[in-house]
Amino acid sequence: MKKIKIGVIGAGRIGKIHVDNLRRIPEAEIVAVSDLFAGEELQEWAGSRGIGIVTKDSEEILSNPDIDAVFICSSTDTHVELIKRAAQEGKHIFCEKPVSMDISLTEEALEEVRKAGVQLQVGFNRRFDHNFKRVREHVQAGEIGSPHLIKITSRDPEPPPEAYIKVSGGIFMDMMIHDFDMARFLSGSEVEEVFAQGSVLIDPVFSKYGDVDTAIVTLRFENGALGLIDSSRRAVYGYDQRAEVFGSKGAVSVTNDHPNTAVLTTENGLRSDKPLHFFLERYQGAYMDETEQFIDCLLNGKPVPVNGNDGRQAERIALAAKLSHQQQRVVKLSEIEDLK
Amino acid sequence: MKKIKIGVIGAGRIGKIHVDNLRRIPEAEIVAVSDLFAGEELQEWAGSRGIGIVTKDSEEILSNPDIDAVFICSSTDTHVELIKRAAQEGKHIFCEKPVSMDISLTEEALEEVRKAGVQLQVGFNRRFDHNFKRVREHVQAGEIGSPHLIKITSRDPEPPPEAYIKVSGGIFMDMMIHDFDMARFLSGSEVEEVFAQGSVLIDPVFSKYGDVDTAIVTLRFENGALGLIDSSRRAVYGYDQRAEVFGSKGAVSVTNDHPNTAVLTTENGLRSDKPLHFFLERYQGAYMDETEQFIDCLLNGKPVPVNGNDGRQAERIALAAKLSHQQQRVVKLSEIEDLK
Amino acid sequence: MKKIKIGVIGAGRIGKIHVDNLRRIPEAEIVAVSDLFAGEELQEWAGSRGIGIVTKDSEEILSNPDIDAVFICSSTDTHVELIKRAAQEGKHIFCEKPVSMDISLTEEALEEVRKAGVQLQVGFNRRFDHNFKRVREHVQAGEIGSPHLIKITSRDPEPPPEAYIKVSGGIFMDMMIHDFDMARFLSGSEVEEVFAQGSVLIDPVFSKYGDVDTAIVTLRFENGALGLIDSSRRAVYGYDQRAEVFGSKGAVSVTNDHPNTAVLTTENGLRSDKPLHFFLERYQGAYMDETEQFIDCLLNGKPVPVNGNDGRQAERIALAAKLSHQQQRVVKLSEIEDLK
Amino acid sequence: MKKIKIGVIGAGRIGKIHVDNLRRIPEAEIVAVSDLFAGEELQEWAGSRGIGIVTKDSEEILSNPDIDAVFICSSTDTHVELIKRAAQEGKHIFCEKPVSMDISLTEEALEEVRKAGVQLQVGFNRRFDHNFKRVREHVQAGEIGSPHLIKITSRDPEPPPEAYIKVSGGIFMDMMIHDFDMARFLSGSEVEEVFAQGSVLIDPVFSKYGDVDTAIVTLRFENGALGLIDSSRRAVYGYDQRAEVFGSKGAVSVTNDHPNTAVLTTENGLRSDKPLHFFLERYQGAYMDETEQFIDCLLNGKPVPVNGNDGRQAERIALAAKLSHQQQRVVKLSEIEDLK
């Protein structure tokens, strides 16, 4: 059996998720893992998973001729350089979102990928979620006719720590980039105009970094359809991830996943448990699926399901939203640099 | 416009509901109302509704040649005599359930109705409920194939007062007779065997009268399908009225009606308001519809939607359930006297 | 018993609804009805309801000293004059929405109402809907903390005829004015900024009149909360009226009403009936309640639940939305003339 | 790290599920697997999972001193002998349900387990299901007060093949034994009386073996509560596993799991996907959890969560149900032999 040999760069929370998912895929073998802060703990963690090489230096992975593909799970500011190096070494790439916060740097990375002829998959895991996938299927099957309105709700259970807020790139790039990708995914159409509004309603710390914690973005798509996204850094009841596509023949909507279906009915009314609390629980299956499909595409020479252009377009919408919010006006996506 | 002239016998809670519903039907005119306890209060109540005759003596209604039809809403022990008298006077009859607690007396009443050629509708209001009607429609349209299992849940928000328990005829005759009719209505089939179990779990007062407050009844239908009914005298969260029919091609189920669709989601989970509290709210529309259809059938010479035989069959099942509970055995419906 | 004597001006669809609801209120008596097109048919219709005066001339109602209050249900362009005349005659006023499409004319009417010291209730019936009322109650009880996001979905089952589109005032004034009022009602806060986007996706006829058939409006409230409204002239599955308020302690949402709770489960999945088809069914109870409360307020000298200022503020938001859509920019509500 | 060394006896569908779950538990090591039909295919399957010993002879596992615990996944008629042998060898035991179809044989096996002082867990996986567990939690927390009614629905997506029906022990022992255990689990009470009714409505092949394909069982519990279970060998829409406990303070109910939350709304109504189709999908997490808890109990010397007595009591109820069905009468559980 042919196996894809993999190096994982960055062993934080998301890197570890990918490692554990990759271990469940018989056709994948994790050869090495690197992390700037690699120490005894990581050594032990990797050892218990049968990973031979643990290093602080990602270059050990990039230059290792045994390795077919890399998972880039390090901080966003390292993505572009790592993609370029991996491409130069002829390695296929799975890169966490966003590729970068600067569209021309993203373009540099994509250009290197194209030149090298390697595959690049961007980590828009939500496309693989059982709920959102089903919406897309209904839309693509024509069951709602042509889309008129695309609605996305995206709320986190709690804000990140200040240290993260500082370097996050802001709510539009850090958090809503998932929603911008989702808007393209669900509608099957490209965005033409963006309008964004934001408020600081949860924690004044966001103001300190020119960021907001509550935001809405409206979109106009090429086909005239309109989009609405609402986002919050804190839904006290847990992760809130819903969507609806409304069209000429009907609508399809998805709501949250819950830990069980129990309903308690008493004198005080009906009560049930709140939604799954965070992305690790809600998107567990989605993370597994995106990884399986990536490996499958490499093995069978098929194009990856979320490519560099998907990464770039979501970034462009995020940049447009940021600009719209700053300037309090509608921003046309054409104002944001695209592929040369 | 031809109007049906009506006398209402018995002006308790249910009699008053019928009066107020009849007033909303342009083709109906309430000429008289009688009640054993008719006094100043009833006089005033009737006056404000434009009802000319208020009397203690039902005979004033029965012998009034202006009256086309009577609504019998008095206590169960008076039904048989009133039906017989009304039939002799050539009046059409709407009678609250049950016709009686003695199947041979019921048969006497029905015999008189047949002889007189008048119409008799029995007050199984739940057949007109938007939910149960829809179940029946799906079953009759063949959408679930042939029925295999019929399940009915029927729970009251609180037990009646002791004075009522004493004369109620017991849970099987008083409360579950509605469910026995519903079982026939939903399945479109007749019952062959009955098994009943009961417990006193809510209030020991039920034991005093040989009654129970919690009961389950299982049924075997002519076509081999099986039925399950569960019943309680007290669901603290309100009126609980649900049903399911499962068959060879699928299942159809209905749940309770709620006062609104609001869902509150907080750290403590999801919460919504409990079901409509009592039969007056839940079956408001059903009471209206059964009355409208009765009037329509009289006006247009159509057979009424719930006839004397429906009344009798539900009574037979109730009697079989009572016997089964007493003797702790399966009772065949053929053991219970039917139409001579 | 004191009765409020009423004249109804305009006997189209909505006027007739009010007549039928008023008839069910013992403390209200409909003395007269006027309609520009009053003829034999209306005469008969009114006669069967015991309404003595039927006229083409609203002045017959306005100058009738027996009449305590008028219901203005005629076309929008007649509202201002009728309100002014009714106020001058010392009559209380129930007026359908919008008061007018010109905020200074609306102000003239309100000024006359203030001078006369009569009551004016504007027909924002949705405030009385069991679902939206429950949302408001939860918000006011503090159960979701302070509001951060207010979301409203408002879709009609089908577009009006071209003749109506022509004079409707456009989607923002004609249809979404209800939603603008709802946004104020649910949030308990005033709007500061408005942004609107629209498309013609259903029927090109809307373009002919500078109108759109699909629109989204975002709002910024005084307290920093953000609002999102989406609207369509045609949801093929029926009337779609939902809302959600999300805040610091949770969220409350309401969905549509359905004709029954039946769920059919087969090899093809779960299926249930679509929502109630139109506003007459969905808001039947709401229309009744607004009328009962109006009468109750007149009888007991209480302020009406939806007053002239509510009418004006919703109109200002509608005008701001229209301007925003025309100029493709954020419009501050302060740009729209308010009370002098 | 201490590891529990395991031998798996029987490598059919359920044995393989246990193997794959055990592999995900770091504290468990599968040393050997036996199967009567072990051949090249099983050798390869086991090899790819790093299992060293593959044999046709379960005795190789039972007498292997390296093995701490066995999973008995072979056919029911082998359970008693294997349990006795494993106990004699001092091995802990996980045994699939039922222990046997003969209560005195079951008792022999349990006696041997007691003498040897080993642990025995019976494979009532549904106790570990997220939904049923939540019902039990609510009941045990007193949130519904004292239970009055326990309702269980248990329907398979399709009947087993005739070869299996022949040796299955019948619907009460093979399929409903899970529900009998669930009734004890949810109510926290023992059963005193059993009544069973059955029909052949799906496939006449069941009659051939004195079996039925559609059955209802009612239970009376020690505390007076009543139980209702309905069961079918074929729900065309998939696995149907629901429960409800109703009590003095309210009710708690659970419904099925679905593959996604998508709802499609069109002119034809609302539509969503049918429930998860079979037990492998629905109870995937439950199988994992029962195995983790078994290993945890062995490692930490805690009593297993489902013991031999749980196995025996469910068997007694199944035997009572069978007898009740044959003799068409209520069977007291005391008629069925219990622990000597």
Side-chain angles (χ1 to χ4, degrees):
Chain A
M1 184 177 61
K2 166 107 176 77
K3 286 202 176 197
I4 302 292
K5 290 189 177 145
I6 290 162
V8 174
I9 299 173
R13 186 170 60 180
I14 192 69
K16 283 178 172 161
I17 289 171
H18 286 305
V19 165
D20 281 334
N21 287 337
L22 283 163
R23 287 183 71 218
R24 293 166 63 187
I25 302 172
E27 298 82 3
E29 184 187 335
I30 310 170
V31 171
V33 61
S34 78
D35 195 279
L36 275 183
F37 305 102
E40 213 166 306
E41 204 184 345
L42 184 64
Q43 200 84 42
E44 197 178 315
W45 182 86
S48 77
R49 278 153 180 82
I51 303 172
I53 304 170
V54 179
T55 173
K56 290 189 180 185
D57 184 5
S58 59
E59 196 53 37
E60 273 190 54
I61 287 177
L62 295 163
S63 61
N64 183 333
D66 280 357
I67 289 176
D68 302 310
V70 294
F71 272 65
I72 301 178
C73 309
S74 48
S75 65
T76 300
D77 58 342
T78 66
H79 289 180
V80 166
E81 277 318 301
L82 290 169
I83 289 172
K84 286 159 74 175
R85 278 290 297 127
Q88 288 155 5
E89 296 286 347
K91 295 189 190 332
H92 299 297
I93 302 155
F94 181 101
C95 183
E96 272 305 320
K97 59 93 227 172
V99 172
S100 84
M101 297 182 201
D102 178 330
I103 197 72
S104 47
L105 292 179
T106 296
E107 180 47 26
E108 274 182 31
L110 300 191
E111 178 59 24
E112 206 75 41
V113 166
R114 276 191 298 273
K115 279 202 305 205
V118 295
Q119 295 237 47
L120 166 66
Q121 181 169 327
V122 177
F124 286 132
N125 58 298
R126 295 185 194 175
R127 288 187 177 218
F128 302 85
D129 174 65
H130 57 152
N131 290 335
F132 296 124
K133 251 192 325 191
R134 195 71 180 102
V135 173
R136 159 104 159 177
E137 283 168 21
H138 280 303
V139 172
Q140 293 214 318
E143 298 194 83
I144 62 137
S146 44
H148 291 181
L149 292 163
I150 289 95
K151 296 177 67 178
I152 296 170
T153 288
S154 180
R155 302 172 189 156
D156 272 0
E158 43 200 328
E162 183 169 351
Y164 182 85
I165 293 169
K166 209 169 164 172
V167 299
S168 72
I171 196 169
F172 302 109
M173 183 57 83
D174 176 50
M175 190 172 157
M176 295 185 78
I177 193 168
H178 275 299
D179 308 309
F180 300 140
D181 181 61
M182 187 53 63
R184 293 179 66 240
F185 179 67
L186 297 182
S187 67
S189 174
E190 296 295 338
V191 168
E192 281 198 336
E193 286 177 17
V194 179
F195 175 72
Q197 273 175 300
S199 282
V200 177
L201 297 169
I202 295 163
D203 191 335
V205 72
F206 285 96
S207 309
K208 211 166 138 185
Y209 303 99
D211 201 358
V212 293
D213 52 33
T214 305
I216 57 183
V217 172
T218 69
L219 307 169
R220 182 185 294 278
F221 294 87
E222 275 178 355
N223 63 359
L226 301 171
L228 302 90
I229 308 173
D230 70 273
S231 190
S232 168
R233 284 285 192 183
R234 191 182 66 208
V236 294
Y237 49 79
Y239 210 34
D240 194 350
Q241 301 275 302
R242 291 172 282 153
E244 177 183 355
V245 184
F246 168 80
S248 56
K249 290 188 184 165
V252 56
S253 64
V254 284
T255 186
N256 293 304
D257 287 335
H258 287 81
N260 58 69
T261 64
V263 176
L264 179 70
T265 306
T266 68
E267 284 185 307
N268 301 316
L270 279 65
R271 185 153 66 79
S272 58
D273 290 336
K274 49 191 174 169
L276 295 182
H277 194 68
F278 207 18
F279 74 96
L280 295 180
E281 296 153 286
R282 165 69 186 264
Y283 290 131
Q284 191 176 10
Y287 280 114
M288 189 69 221
D289 285 0
E290 70 172 357
T291 308
E292 276 179 344
Q293 289 197 29
F294 177 65
I295 298 297
D296 179 55
C297 289
L298 299 196
L299 274 174
N300 299 299
K302 296 186 287 191
V304 291
V306 197
N307 60 28
N309 185 51
D310 294 318
R312 179 175 48 219
Q313 296 308 335
E315 280 169 40
R316 291 178 71 217
I317 303 172
L319 291 167
K322 210 168 167 172
L323 190 63
S324 168
H325 179 242
Q326 281 160 359
Q327 303 187 349
Q328 282 291 292
R329 65 171 182 92
V330 177
V331 172
K332 290 198 182 299
L333 207 65
S334 56
E335 299 179 42
I336 310 295
E337 181 185 12
D338 195 6
L339 183 63
K340 275 156 280 190
Chain B
M1 186 176 63
K2 165 108 177 77
K3 286 204 177 197
I4 302 291
K5 291 190 177 143
I6 290 162
V8 174
I9 300 172
R13 184 170 61 180
I14 192 69
K16 283 177 171 161
I17 289 171
H18 286 304
V19 165
D20 280 334
N21 287 336
L22 283 163
R23 288 182 70 218
R24 295 166 62 188
I25 302 173
E27 297 83 2
E29 183 187 334
I30 310 170
V31 171
V33 61
S34 77
D35 195 277
L36 275 182
F37 306 100
E40 214 167 305
E41 203 184 345
L42 184 64
Q43 201 85 40
E44 197 177 317
W45 182 87
S48 76
R49 278 151 179 85
I51 303 172
I53 304 170
V54 178
T55 172
K56 289 191 181 183
D57 184 5
S58 59
E59 195 54 34
E60 274 190 53
I61 288 178
L62 294 162
S63 59
N64 183 332
D66 279 355
I67 290 177
D68 302 309
V70 295
F71 273 63
I72 302 176
C73 309
S74 47
S75 64
T76 300
D77 57 342
T78 66
H79 289 180
V80 167
E81 277 317 302
L82 291 168
I83 290 173
K84 286 158 75 175
R85 277 291 298 127
Q88 287 155 5
E89 296 286 346
K91 296 189 189 331
H92 299 297
I93 304 156
F94 181 101
C95 183
E96 273 303 322
K97 62 90 223 172
V99 172
S100 83
M101 297 181 199
D102 178 329
I103 198 72
S104 46
L105 291 179
T106 297
E107 180 48 25
E108 273 182 31
L110 301 190
E111 178 59 24
E112 205 76 39
V113 166
R114 275 191 300 273
K115 279 200 306 202
V118 295
Q119 294 237 46
L120 165 65
Q121 181 168 330
V122 177
F124 287 131
N125 59 298
R126 297 186 192 173
R127 289 188 176 217
F128 302 85
D129 174 66
H130 58 151
N131 290 333
F132 296 124
K133 251 193 324 193
R134 195 71 181 101
V135 173
R136 160 104 159 179
E137 282 168 22
H138 280 303
V139 172
Q140 293 214 317
E143 297 194 84
I144 62 139
S146 44
H148 291 181
L149 292 163
I150 290 94
K151 295 175 67 177
I152 296 169
T153 287
S154 180
R155 301 173 190 155
D156 271 0
E158 41 200 330
E162 183 170 350
Y164 182 84
I165 294 170
K166 209 169 163 173
V167 300
S168 72
I171 196 169
F172 302 108
M173 182 59 81
D174 176 50
M175 190 175 159
M176 296 184 77
I177 194 168
H178 275 298
D179 308 308
F180 301 140
D181 181 60
M182 188 53 63
R184 292 180 67 240
F185 179 67
L186 297 182
S187 68
S189 175
E190 296 296 339
V191 167
E192 282 198 335
E193 286 177 18
V194 179
F195 175 72
Q197 274 175 301
S199 282
V200 177
L201 297 168
I202 294 163
D203 191 333
V205 72
F206 286 97
S207 308
K208 211 166 137 184
Y209 303 100
D211 201 356
V212 293
D213 52 34
T214 305
I216 57 183
V217 171
T218 69
L219 307 169
R220 180 185 295 279
F221 293 86
E222 274 177 357
N223 64 358
L226 302 171
L228 301 90
I229 308 172
D230 69 273
S231 189
S232 167
R233 283 287 190 181
R234 191 183 65 209
V236 294
Y237 49 79
Y239 210 35
D240 193 350
Q241 301 274 302
R242 292 172 282 154
E244 176 183 356
V245 184
F246 168 80
S248 55
K249 289 188 183 166
V252 56
S253 64
V254 284
T255 187
N256 293 304
D257 287 335
H258 288 80
N260 59 69
T261 65
V263 176
L264 179 71
T265 307
T266 69
E267 284 186 309
N268 302 316
L270 280 64
R271 185 153 66 77
S272 59
D273 290 337
K274 49 192 173 167
L276 295 183
H277 195 68
F278 207 19
F279 74 96
L280 295 181
E281 296 153 288
R282 164 68 187 264
Y283 291 129
Q284 190 175 14
Y287 279 114
M288 190 68 221
D289 285 1
E290 70 172 359
T291 308
E292 276 180 343
Q293 289 197 29
F294 177 66
I295 298 297
D296 178 55
C297 289
L298 299 196
L299 274 173
N300 299 297
K302 294 186 288 189
V304 291
V306 197
N307 61 26
N309 185 50
D310 294 318
R312 178 174 50 219
Q313 296 307 336
E315 280 169 41
R316 290 179 71 218
I317 303 172
L319 291 168
K322 210 168 170 174
L323 190 63
S324 168
H325 179 244
Q326 281 159 358
Q327 303 188 349
Q328 283 291 292
R329 65 173 181 92
V330 178
V331 171
K332 290 196 182 300
L333 207 65
S334 56
E335 300 178 42
I336 309 297
E337 184 184 11
D338 195 5
L339 181 64
K340 272 156 277 188
Chain C
M1 186 174 61
K2 164 111 177 76
K3 285 202 177 197
I4 302 291
K5 289 188 179 149
I6 290 162
V8 174
I9 299 172
R13 185 171 58 179
I14 192 69
K16 283 179 172 160
I17 290 171
H18 287 303
V19 166
D20 281 333
N21 287 336
L22 282 163
R23 288 183 70 220
R24 293 166 62 188
I25 301 173
E27 298 82 3
E29 184 187 334
I30 310 170
V31 171
V33 61
S34 77
D35 195 277
L36 275 181
F37 306 100
E40 213 167 307
E41 203 185 344
L42 184 64
Q43 201 84 42
E44 196 178 315
W45 181 87
S48 77
R49 279 153 180 83
I51 303 173
I53 305 171
V54 179
T55 173
K56 290 189 180 184
D57 183 4
S58 58
E59 196 54 36
E60 272 190 54
I61 286 177
L62 294 163
S63 60
N64 183 331
D66 279 355
I67 289 177
D68 303 308
V70 295
F71 272 64
I72 302 178
C73 309
S74 48
S75 65
T76 300
D77 58 341
T78 66
H79 289 180
V80 167
E81 278 317 302
L82 290 168
I83 290 172
K84 286 159 76 175
R85 278 289 298 126
Q88 287 155 4
E89 296 284 348
K91 296 190 189 331
H92 299 296
I93 303 155
F94 180 102
C95 182
E96 271 305 321
K97 59 92 226 173
V99 173
S100 83
M101 296 181 199
D102 177 330
I103 198 72
S104 46
L105 291 179
T106 296
E107 181 46 27
E108 273 181 31
L110 299 191
E111 178 59 22
E112 206 75 42
V113 165
R114 273 192 300 274
K115 278 201 305 201
V118 296
Q119 295 237 47
L120 166 65
Q121 180 168 328
V122 178
F124 286 132
N125 59 297
R126 295 185 195 175
R127 289 189 176 216
F128 302 85
D129 174 64
H130 57 151
N131 291 334
F132 296 125
K133 250 191 327 189
R134 195 72 182 102
V135 173
R136 158 104 161 177
E137 283 168 20
H138 280 303
V139 172
Q140 292 213 319
E143 298 195 85
I144 63 138
S146 43
H148 291 182
L149 293 163
I150 289 95
K151 296 176 67 177
I152 296 169
T153 289
S154 180
R155 301 171 190 156
D156 271 1
E158 44 199 328
E162 182 169 351
Y164 182 84
I165 294 169
K166 208 170 167 174
V167 298
S168 72
I171 196 168
F172 302 109
M173 183 58 83
D174 175 50
M175 190 173 159
M176 296 184 79
I177 194 168
H178 276 298
D179 308 309
F180 301 141
D181 180 61
M182 187 53 63
R184 292 179 68 239
F185 178 66
L186 297 182
S187 69
S189 176
E190 296 296 337
V191 167
E192 282 199 336
E193 287 176 17
V194 178
F195 175 72
Q197 274 176 299
S199 282
V200 176
L201 298 168
I202 295 162
D203 190 334
V205 73
F206 286 96
S207 308
K208 212 165 138 184
Y209 303 100
D211 201 358
V212 293
D213 53 33
T214 304
I216 58 183
V217 172
T218 69
L219 307 170
R220 181 184 294 278
F221 294 87
E222 275 178 356
N223 64 359
L226 303 171
L228 302 89
I229 308 173
D230 70 273
S231 190
S232 168
R233 284 286 191 183
R234 191 182 65 209
V236 294
Y237 49 81
Y239 209 36
D240 194 351
Q241 301 275 301
R242 290 171 283 154
E244 176 184 355
V245 184
F246 168 79
S248 55
K249 290 189 183 164
V252 56
S253 63
V254 284
T255 186
N256 293 306
D257 287 334
H258 288 80
N260 59 68
T261 65
V263 176
L264 180 70
T265 306
T266 68
E267 285 186 307
N268 302 317
L270 279 63
R271 184 152 66 78
S272 57
D273 290 337
K274 50 190 174 170
L276 295 182
H277 194 68
F278 206 19
F279 74 97
L280 295 181
E281 296 153 286
R282 165 68 185 264
Y283 291 130
Q284 189 175 14
Y287 279 115
M288 189 67 221
D289 285 0
E290 70 172 358
T291 307
E292 275 180 344
Q293 288 197 30
F294 177 66
I295 298 297
D296 179 55
C297 288
L298 299 196
L299 274 174
N300 298 298
K302 294 186 288 190
V304 291
V306 198
N307 60 28
N309 186 52
D310 294 319
R312 178 174 51 219
Q313 297 307 335
E315 279 170 42
R316 292 178 70 218
I317 305 172
L319 291 167
K322 210 167 170 176
L323 191 62
S324 169
H325 178 242
Q326 280 160 0
Q327 303 188 349
Q328 283 289 292
R329 65 170 181 94
V330 177
V331 172
K332 290 197 183 298
L333 206 63
S334 56
E335 299 179 43
I336 309 295
E337 181 185 13
D338 194 6
L339 181 63
K340 274 155 279 188
Chain D
M1 186 177 63
K2 166 106 178 74
K3 286 203 175 195
I4 302 291
K5 290 188 177 145
I6 290 162
V8 174
I9 299 172
R13 185 170 61 179
I14 192 69
K16 283 177 171 161
I17 290 171
H18 287 304
V19 165
D20 281 334
N21 286 337
L22 282 163
R23 288 182 69 219
R24 294 167 62 189
I25 302 173
E27 298 82 2
E29 184 187 336
I30 309 171
V31 171
V33 60
S34 78
D35 195 278
L36 274 182
F37 306 100
E40 216 167 304
E41 202 185 344
L42 184 64
Q43 200 85 41
E44 197 178 314
W45 181 88
S48 77
R49 278 153 181 83
I51 303 173
I53 305 170
V54 178
T55 172
K56 290 190 180 181
D57 185 4
S58 59
E59 195 55 35
E60 271 190 55
I61 286 178
L62 294 163
S63 60
N64 183 331
D66 279 357
I67 289 177
D68 301 311
V70 295
F71 272 64
I72 301 177
C73 309
S74 48
S75 64
T76 299
D77 57 343
T78 66
H79 289 180
V80 167
E81 277 317 302
L82 290 168
I83 289 173
K84 285 160 75 176
R85 278 290 298 129
Q88 287 156 5
E89 297 285 346
K91 296 187 189 334
H92 298 296
I93 303 155
F94 181 103
C95 183
E96 272 304 322
K97 60 90 230 174
V99 171
S100 83
M101 296 180 199
D102 177 330
I103 198 72
S104 46
L105 291 179
T106 297
E107 180 47 27
E108 272 183 30
L110 299 191
E111 178 59 25
E112 206 75 40
V113 166
R114 274 192 300 274
K115 278 201 306 201
V118 295
Q119 295 236 49
L120 166 66
Q121 181 170 329
V122 177
F124 286 130
N125 59 298
R126 295 184 194 175
R127 288 187 176 218
F128 301 86
D129 174 64
H130 57 152
N131 290 334
F132 296 125
K133 250 192 325 194
R134 195 72 181 102
V135 174
R136 159 103 161 179
E137 283 168 20
H138 280 303
V139 173
Q140 292 213 319
E143 297 195 85
I144 62 139
S146 43
H148 291 181
L149 292 164
I150 289 95
K151 296 176 67 178
I152 297 169
T153 288
S154 181
R155 301 172 192 157
D156 272 0
E158 43 199 329
E162 183 169 350
Y164 182 85
I165 293 169
K166 207 172 166 173
V167 299
S168 71
I171 196 170
F172 302 108
M173 182 58 81
D174 176 49
M175 189 173 160
M176 296 185 79
I177 194 167
H178 276 297
D179 308 308
F180 301 141
D181 181 60
M182 187 54 64
R184 292 180 66 240
F185 178 67
L186 296 182
S187 67
S189 175
E190 296 296 338
V191 167
E192 281 199 337
E193 287 177 17
V194 179
F195 175 72
Q197 274 175 302
S199 282
V200 177
L201 298 167
I202 296 162
D203 190 334
V205 71
F206 285 97
S207 308
K208 211 168 138 184
Y209 303 100
D211 201 358
V212 293
D213 52 33
T214 305
I216 57 181
V217 172
T218 69
L219 307 170
R220 181 185 294 277
F221 294 87
E222 275 177 355
N223 63 359
L226 301 171
L228 302 88
I229 307 172
D230 70 272
S231 190
S232 168
R233 286 287 192 182
R234 190 181 67 209
V236 295
Y237 49 79
Y239 209 36
D240 193 350
Q241 301 274 302
R242 290 172 282 154
E244 176 184 357
V245 184
F246 167 79
S248 55
K249 290 186 183 165
V252 56
S253 64
V254 285
T255 186
N256 293 305
D257 288 334
H258 287 80
N260 59 69
T261 64
V263 177
L264 179 71
T265 307
T266 69
E267 284 186 308
N268 301 317
L270 281 64
R271 185 153 66 79
S272 58
D273 290 337
K274 50 191 174 170
L276 296 181
H277 194 69
F278 207 19
F279 74 97
L280 295 181
E281 296 153 288
R282 163 70 185 264
Y283 290 130
Q284 191 175 13
Y287 279 115
M288 189 68 220
D289 285 0
E290 69 171 359
T291 307
E292 275 180 344
Q293 288 198 29
F294 177 65
I295 298 297
D296 179 54
C297 289
L298 299 195
L299 275 173
N300 298 299
K302 294 187 288 191
V304 291
V306 198
N307 60 28
N309 186 52
D310 294 319
R312 179 176 46 220
Q313 297 308 334
E315 280 169 42
R316 290 179 71 216
I317 304 172
L319 291 167
K322 208 167 170 176
L323 191 62
S324 169
H325 179 244
Q326 281 160 358
Q327 304 188 348
Q328 284 290 294
R329 66 173 180 91
V330 178
V331 172
K332 290 197 182 300
L333 206 65
S334 56
E335 298 179 42
I336 309 295
E337 183 183 12
D338 194 6
L339 180 65
K340 273 155 279 188

